[in-house]
Amino acid sequence: MLTHLAFKGYLGRRMHLGVCGSIAAYKALDLVRMFRDTGADVGATLTDAARKFVTPLSFEALGASPVHGAMFPAEDGGSEHVFGHLMPGESCHAFLIAPATASTLARLACGLADDMLSCQALAFPAPLVIAPAMNPRMWHNAATQENWARLKARGHVCIEPGCGRTACMEEGQGRLADLNEIYLYGLRAMTPQDLAGKRVMITLGPTREKWDGVRFWSNPSTGTMGACFAVAAWLRGATVHAVAGPGVPWLPAMVQRHDVASARQMFEAAEGLWPAMDIGVFTAAVADYSPVPYGDEKFKKGGAEELVVRFTPTTDILKTLGAAKGAHQRIVGFAAETSAMPENARKKLRAKNADMVVGNIVGRPDSGFQSPTNEVFVTDRNGRQEEWPVQPKTEVAWRVLDWLLQL
């Protein structure tokens, strides 16, 4: 799993997974692994057709429990629970159906309950998360589209199928959506929406300050810390805008991504977004200085023994937007340091008009640039401060958002 998607705080939460008769059914096994890795419990229901493609034993071997099959216990592969059709609605925080076939969409849209999965879905008291997979012609059939529109109108979380070549070798829309996005939608359904209605802007990654036709000034930031914030804020209900420097990792389509290269471009994008935001998290490693450009041609050394490059300062994005902060807005700044962490973090908090500053030591394999983990010092405007030991960046992002909600 991608580092910035590997959230672990779902112990005590429960997901139910419905699997229908599509060749994409085998991908549901990966979803079980992904949800189990978060700490969540997972149950599953396989339709009769799904069991032609995958077996209940495969799901059980990956830790899914219980795994339901036919409606009645006496039938082969059926549930051992007399009230198995009610169990997801009584014990689960989210119900995901992936892949969902055209037949299942029709059952759900019409409120039928003639098999275990449709009966469980009808008894589930919250919106379902539905990810279809089928032949493109079946997907575009008027009946399927009417059923899909009806499910969306009822408030279910409907994930559009992807485009490309399907198992039947036809091109078009009908493929199961990206597993990472399905996983995130399922995770969001299990997550308390304490940032619902909030608009969050994240700056992340490095900037590249061009010098000549092939060279630039930059740093080793990968954008992983900011990506963790972007995903965490979206999972918790926020509308998220990510102003992303070069090389930033994959972000789900649900996060509105604004790709930039230079510090000037990052400032202009962030400045344009900031007035409409409630929260700004400034994780980007922005170049403080930019080289005076040599030009678009490649510089030739020509036998010179040394090279002198002049630099000019870039706009301080955090300080500028901090000065323009409204009463309802909150700012989290990051301080990448090699020493004197607490002193530098507190100084940055005051100088940038931030509400919180998270300082992290860089240049170590377990913290800072190019690391999936961070060791941080956190301080806020009220004088509260804490030192956190090395932990995954996903956990750092989650805890910082928890703290911010208390300010």
Side-chain angles (χ1 to χ4, degrees):
M1 183 185 294
L2 297 171
T3 299
H4 59 292
L5 307 184
F7 292 90
K8 301 291 185 184
Y10 287 81
L11 187 66
R13 311 299 284 181
R14 185 167 182 81
M15 162 65 70
H16 195 76
L17 177 62
V19 185
C20 303
S22 162
I23 186 61
Y26 75 93
K27 295 183 178 180
L29 295 168
D30 286 328
L31 288 171
V32 172
R33 291 190 187 95
M34 295 165 82
F35 289 122
R36 291 283 292 157
D37 283 346
T38 69
D41 291 321
V42 181
T45 298
L46 279 62
T47 65
D48 290 345
R51 282 179 282 150
K52 303 295 184 182
F53 293 94
V54 288
T55 67
L57 182 59
S58 298
F59 287 83
E60 292 169 350
L62 293 175
S65 178
V67 178
H68 300 278
M71 178 76 82
F72 301 105
E75 295 181 22
D76 182 43
S79 169
E80 296 178 357
H81 305 278
V82 174
F83 297 107
H85 61 297
L86 302 179
M87 286 184 64
E90 295 171 343
S91 62
C92 294
H93 299 90
F95 196 147
L96 165 65
I97 303 176
T101 58
S103 178
T104 293
L105 295 184
R107 285 188 173 92
L108 297 175
C110 294
L112 298 180
D114 59 345
D115 68 357
M116 178 62 88
L117 179 59
S118 59
C119 196
Q120 289 174 332
L122 195 63
F124 193 72
L128 304 169
V129 182
I130 309 169
M134 65 193 74
N135 172 273
R137 283 175 287 144
M138 296 174 67
W139 170 249
H140 289 294
N141 186 280
T144 303
Q145 290 301 301
E146 287 175 10
N147 291 331
W148 189 240
R150 190 180 300 178
L151 292 169
K152 287 195 287 187
R154 291 177 187 160
H156 297 300
V157 179
C158 297
I159 307 172
E160 293 282 328
C163 296
R165 190 173 71 176
T166 57
C168 55
M169 306 303 288
E170 290 190 23
E171 293 281 344
Q173 187 177 12
R175 293 167 56 95
L176 187 67
D178 184 286
L179 276 194
N180 285 324
E181 292 199 357
I182 296 173
Y183 156 75
L184 290 175
Y185 272 113
L187 210 57
R188 192 187 206 209
M190 288 195 292
T191 305
Q193 301 294 282
D194 52 8
L195 285 176
K198 297 295 184 182
R199 294 158 296 180
V200 179
M201 180 182 72
I202 320 285
T203 66
L204 63 159
T207 62
R208 290 179 179 174
E209 311 306 316
K210 184 178 178 181
W211 181 61
D212 71 354
V214 297
R215 300 175 181 89
F216 55 83
W217 176 260
S218 191
N219 60 68
S221 173
T222 62
T224 299
M225 187 70 254
C228 292
F229 270 102
V231 175
W234 181 83
L235 287 175
R236 296 171 73 152
T239 298
V240 181
H241 290 262
V243 182
V248 165
W250 176 89
L251 291 172
M254 302 81 78
V255 171
Q256 300 177 61
R257 179 169 177 155
H258 309 264
D259 287 305
V260 299
S262 68
R264 166 55 58 180
Q265 292 170 350
M266 182 170 283
F267 170 67
E268 291 174 350
E271 183 185 40
L273 291 167
W274 180 234
M277 296 295 115
D278 299 297
I279 296 170
V281 183
F282 295 83
T283 70
V286 184
D288 294 324
Y289 292 86
S290 182
V292 175
Y294 171 78
D296 291 333
E297 294 295 318
K298 178 183 176 182
F299 173 79
K300 303 290 187 179
K301 62 182 179 181
E305 294 184 359
E306 63 179 26
L307 172 67
V308 177
V309 179
R310 293 177 52 241
F311 286 80
T312 56
T314 61
T315 302
D316 189 324
I317 299 175
L318 178 56
K319 184 175 182 179
T320 303
L321 298 188
K325 181 178 66 172
H328 72 287
Q329 293 177 307
R330 297 292 179 266
I331 282 180
V332 180
F334 265 68
E337 304 290 348
T338 55
S339 63
M341 172 55 66
E343 296 82 359
N344 287 332
R346 286 191 288 263
K347 181 179 178 180
K348 190 167 190 175
L349 179 73
R350 295 188 297 269
K352 312 295 185 179
N353 195 32
D355 298 283
M356 293 178 64
V357 165
V358 181
N360 62 301
I361 294 292
V362 298
R364 288 175 20 191
D366 62 350
S367 183
F369 297 143
Q370 300 178 318
S371 171
T373 56
N374 245 350
E375 180 178 348
V376 302
F377 171 83
V378 188
T379 183
D380 71 15
R381 68 187 184 202
N382 297 325
R384 178 184 170 188
Q385 57 186 46
E386 293 181 4
E387 293 185 27
W388 297 349
V390 173
Q391 57 194 291
K393 288 180 176 178
T394 48
E395 180 66 15
V396 173
W398 205 272
R399 292 178 64 181
V400 168
L401 291 175
D402 284 342
W403 188 326
L404 187 65
L405 285 170
Q406 298 172 20
L407 282 177

